[in-house]
Amino acid sequence: MTEAVSDNSEVTVLLVDDNPQNLKVLYETLKDKGYRLLIANEGEKALDLASRHQPEVILLDIMMPEMDGYEVCSRLKSDPQTADCAVVFLSALDDLQAKVKGFSLGGADYISKPFQSQEVIARVKTHAQVIRLERELQARNRELQGDQTRILNSISEGIYGLDEHGVIEFANPAAAQIMGCPVEELIGRNFFETHFATACENTDGLPAHATCRKGVAENQRNIRMTRVDGSCFPAEYRSTPKLDGGELHGAVVVFRDVTVELENEAELEATRALVQEQRDQLAHASRLTTMGEMAAGFAHEINQPLTAITNYARVSKRMMGKESPDLALLGETLDKIEAQSHRASEIIRRIRSFMKKPATGKEVISVAAMLEDTRQFAEVDMRNNEGGIEVSVADGVPDVLADPIQVQQVALNLIRNALEATRSAGTAAPVEVSAQPVGPQCVRIQVRDHGIGLPDDAEEKLFLPFYTTKSEGMGIGLATCQSLIQAQGGEIGFERPEGGGALFFFTLPVTGVDGGSCADVTESREAQS
C-alpha cells in the first residue's frame, strides 16, 4: 500500500494497521483536517516512513502479523529521529495489562476499537499540538545552546563551571588555552587541587571556595594559579554562585592571565617615576635660572645688613675706647648688630630654601604664610621694576596639601612676570596677589598685573614649552609652572580682566578633603563664567 499526502503538510500523521478497512476509515476521518497523512500496513514499512518523515503522531495498531505494535513502538523510541513521536495505540484489547505495557514502552495514548471518529480527531489534534510545541521548544533550545556555545567559545577569558565540591563540570576553550591542556582533560578535575599548590593543606581560603560552599561572590586580582604542567601565572578571577531555585549548586569562575597587564603597569609606573624625576630636574633648573637672574639683587640685599653690621661694630669700638663709655648706648648698638645679623641670615635661609630640591611627598601649607614668604622673596624684583605687591588672603582660607618649594616657585614666577608686565606698561599700580577658597576642596591663588595684556593666541601658545613674549626669555617658566601645579592635583590658567592687564591663577587641593580634582572644579567655574 502506498502513502497518501493531503494538501496541508504542516503536521504529519502516520496511520499503521494491517487491516485495509481500518486504514480507510482512519484516512477518511482525518483527510480534511489539514494533516499530511502517511499510510503503512506493516511494521517494517511504518518504521521506514517514520524514519524518513518524523511524523508528529503515529496511530499504531497493536495486533499485527510479523511485528506487532509493541515492537514497532519500542524501535521507534530507541531511534533518536523518531523518539519524540506521539504513539497512540489502536486495539480491540481493552484489558489493563495491555494498556500498561503500551505506556511502559513509551506510548502516549490508547484508543479502543471500534473507535469513534470524533475521539480520533480530538486525540490526534491534541497530541499533534503537543509534539509540535515540544519540537519548536527543542529547536529553540538548540538554537540558544548554539548561541551560548559560540559566545563562550569566543570569550577570551577562561570560564569554569564548578559543582559544590569544586569539581570542574564545564570549561570553555579559553580556559583550556590558558591552562595548556584540552578541555576534556579539565572536565572532572578538582579546581582547587589542580590550580592551587596549597589545596592539600587547606582549601578554606582558596579562591572561589566560599562561592562553591556558601554562595559568596568573590573578585580578586594578582593571585597565583598553577597550570596543569606545574607552571604558575598571575590571574584575576571573579566567581559567582550557581543557583537553581535558590539552591546552591556550585560556582561559575571567570579568570584571565594578567602577566602582560602587570608588566605594562610596572613599565607605566617606572615611566611615571622617570617623568616625575625629569619634571623635578626641570623645576630645579628653572629655580637656578631664576636665582641667576636675581643674583645681583640678592647680593645687594645681603650687602646691606653686612655693611650695617660693619658700621655698628666701628661705632661700638669707638664707644668702648672712651674713659666712661655709655653702656646703654653700647647695648643698643650691639642689639642693632644682632638684628642685622638675623636679617642677613633670613635672606640666606630663603635663598637656600628656594634653591634646594624638594623632598619626596607633600606637606600641609599655610597659604597666607607661603604668599608672605614669596612676597619677601620678590622684594628685589619690586625695586628693579619700581613696583609694589599687595597680598590679600580671604578669611577662612584653609591649609592646602602640596610641595611648598614647588608651589612657591610657581607663585614667585607669576609675581615676577606680573611686575615686569606692569613696568612695561609704564604704570605704578601694584601687582595684586590674592587667595580664596573654591568650593569645599580647593583654594584658588591668583596674580593680577596692570600690563598691556595677553596676545590673542595666548590660549593656544602660552603654556607651550619655549614660547615666550620676552626678548631674552627661554619660554620654560609657564610650561614648568603648569607641570608643577598639575603634579599637585591642581590646575593653572589665565583670564583677561576688565580694565586691562592679565590675571593668572592656580588651584591647590585642601588638606584632608577627598573628592574630585581641583582641575574639575576649575573647569566647572570656567564653564559658568
Side-chain angles (χ1 to χ4, degrees), residues 293-342:
E293 296 172 353
M294 300 169 67
F298 278 116
H300 176 71
E301 282 286 298
I302 296 175
N303 189 55
Q304 282 185 331
L306 293 178
T307 300
I309 289 172
T310 301
N311 292 334
Y312 288 138
R314 289 172 180 171
V315 171
S316 299
K317 187 175 181 181
R318 284 198 301 269
M319 286 191 293
M320 292 175 64
K322 295 180 180 180
E323 294 183 1
S324 300
D326 187 342
L327 296 180
L329 181 59
L330 180 60
E332 292 178 3
T333 304
L334 292 175
D335 288 341
K336 292 179 180 179
I337 291 175
E338 182 181 11
Q340 292 299 321
S341 175
H342 285 315

Side-chain angles (χ1 to χ4, degrees), residues 15 21 151 172 191 280 300 320 326 378 392 402 428 490 495 508:
L15 310 177
Q21 186 62 34
I151 292 172
N172 72 335
F191 171 74
D280 292 342
H300 176 71
M320 292 175 64
D326 187 342
S392 63
E495 298 173 358
L508 295 172

Side-chain angles (χ1 to χ4, degrees), residues 161-221:
L162 311 179
D163 69 9
E164 60 272 21
H165 302 293
V167 175
I168 300 172
E169 298 179 323
F170 168 83
N172 72 335
Q177 183 177 4
I178 294 173
M179 292 305 169
C181 71
V183 169
E184 50 271 20
E185 291 187 17
L186 292 171
I187 304 300
R189 285 176 174 263
N190 184 278
F191 171 74
F192 308 113
E193 296 175 359
T194 301
H195 299 308
F196 301 100
T198 59
C200 58
E201 303 171 3
N202 182 20
T203 60
D204 290 345
L206 292 178
H209 186 269
T211 308
C212 289
R213 294 299 179 88
K214 301 178 182 178
V216 179
E218 299 179 18
N219 186 355
Q220 291 189 47
R221 189 168 186 267

Side-chain angles (χ1 to χ4, degrees), residues 121-146:
I121 293 171
R123 291 180 185 256
V124 168
K125 179 179 180 182
T126 299
H127 289 295
Q129 290 176 340
V130 170
I131 297 301
R132 177 52 57 92
L133 290 175
E134 288 180 350
R135 289 182 175 180
E136 289 177 356
L137 181 60
Q138 291 172 358
R140 180 58 179 159
N141 285 339
R142 287 193 295 271
E143 182 180 344
L144 292 175
Q145 289 174 355

Side-chain angles (χ1 to χ4, degrees), residues 254-464:
V254 180
F255 66 97
R256 61 192 181 95
D257 187 339
V258 294
T259 301
V260 176
E261 188 174 310
L262 293 177
E263 291 174 352
N264 292 339
E265 288 177 1
E267 292 178 2
L268 179 60
E269 188 59 34
T271 301
R272 285 175 178 168
L274 178 60
V275 169
Q276 182 61 45
E277 181 181 354
Q278 293 175 342
R279 177 190 287 129
D280 292 342
Q281 291 175 353
L282 179 60
H284 186 61
S286 177
R287 286 197 297 276
L288 294 178
T289 300
T290 300
M291 291 305 303
E293 296 172 353
M294 300 169 67
F298 278 116
H300 176 71
E301 282 286 298
I302 296 175
N303 189 55
Q304 282 185 331
L306 293 178
T307 300
I309 289 172
T310 301
N311 292 334
Y312 288 138
R314 289 172 180 171
V315 171
S316 299
K317 187 175 181 181
R318 284 198 301 269
M319 286 191 293
M320 292 175 64
K322 295 180 180 180
E323 294 183 1
S324 300
D326 187 342
L327 296 180
L329 181 59
L330 180 60
E332 292 178 3
T333 304
L334 292 175
D335 288 341
K336 292 179 180 179
I337 291 175
E338 182 181 11
Q340 292 299 321
S341 175
H342 285 315
R343 179 185 174 190
S345 176
E346 179 63 18
I347 294 171
I348 293 173
R349 182 196 66 79
R350 290 204 304 269
I351 295 174
R352 292 180 63 185
S353 173
F354 184 75
M355 292 186 66
K356 74 177 183 179
K357 288 190 175 182
T360 302
K362 300 176 182 179
E363 301 176 11
V364 177
I365 305 173
S366 168
V367 175
M370 184 272 296
L371 291 180
E372 177 57 28
D373 202 27
T374 307
R375 187 195 66 78
Q376 294 180 18
F377 229 127
E379 287 181 352
V380 174
D381 287 279
M382 281 193 290
R383 284 192 293 272
N384 291 342
N385 291 283
E386 300 177 353
I389 302 173
E390 291 183 356
V391 177
S392 63
V393 179
D395 294 336
V397 171
D399 293 343
V400 296
L401 184 65
D403 186 307
I405 302 299
Q406 294 186 350
V407 172
Q408 189 181 70
Q409 179 177 349
V410 173
L412 181 61
N413 190 298
L414 297 181
I415 290 173
R416 296 183 70 227
N417 287 348
L419 288 168
E420 294 176 6
T422 299
R423 183 191 65 177
S424 66
T427 176
V431 170
E432 301 167 11
V433 182
S434 61
Q436 61 185 10
V438 181
Q441 60 193 34
C442 295
V443 170
R444 171 178 162 123
I445 299 170
Q446 60 186 38
V447 178
R448 179 183 177 181
D449 65 51
H450 295 275
I452 60 175
L454 297 170
D456 294 337
D457 60 354
E459 287 83 357
E460 300 176 1
K461 297 182 179 180
L462 203 56
F463 290 98
L464 294 178

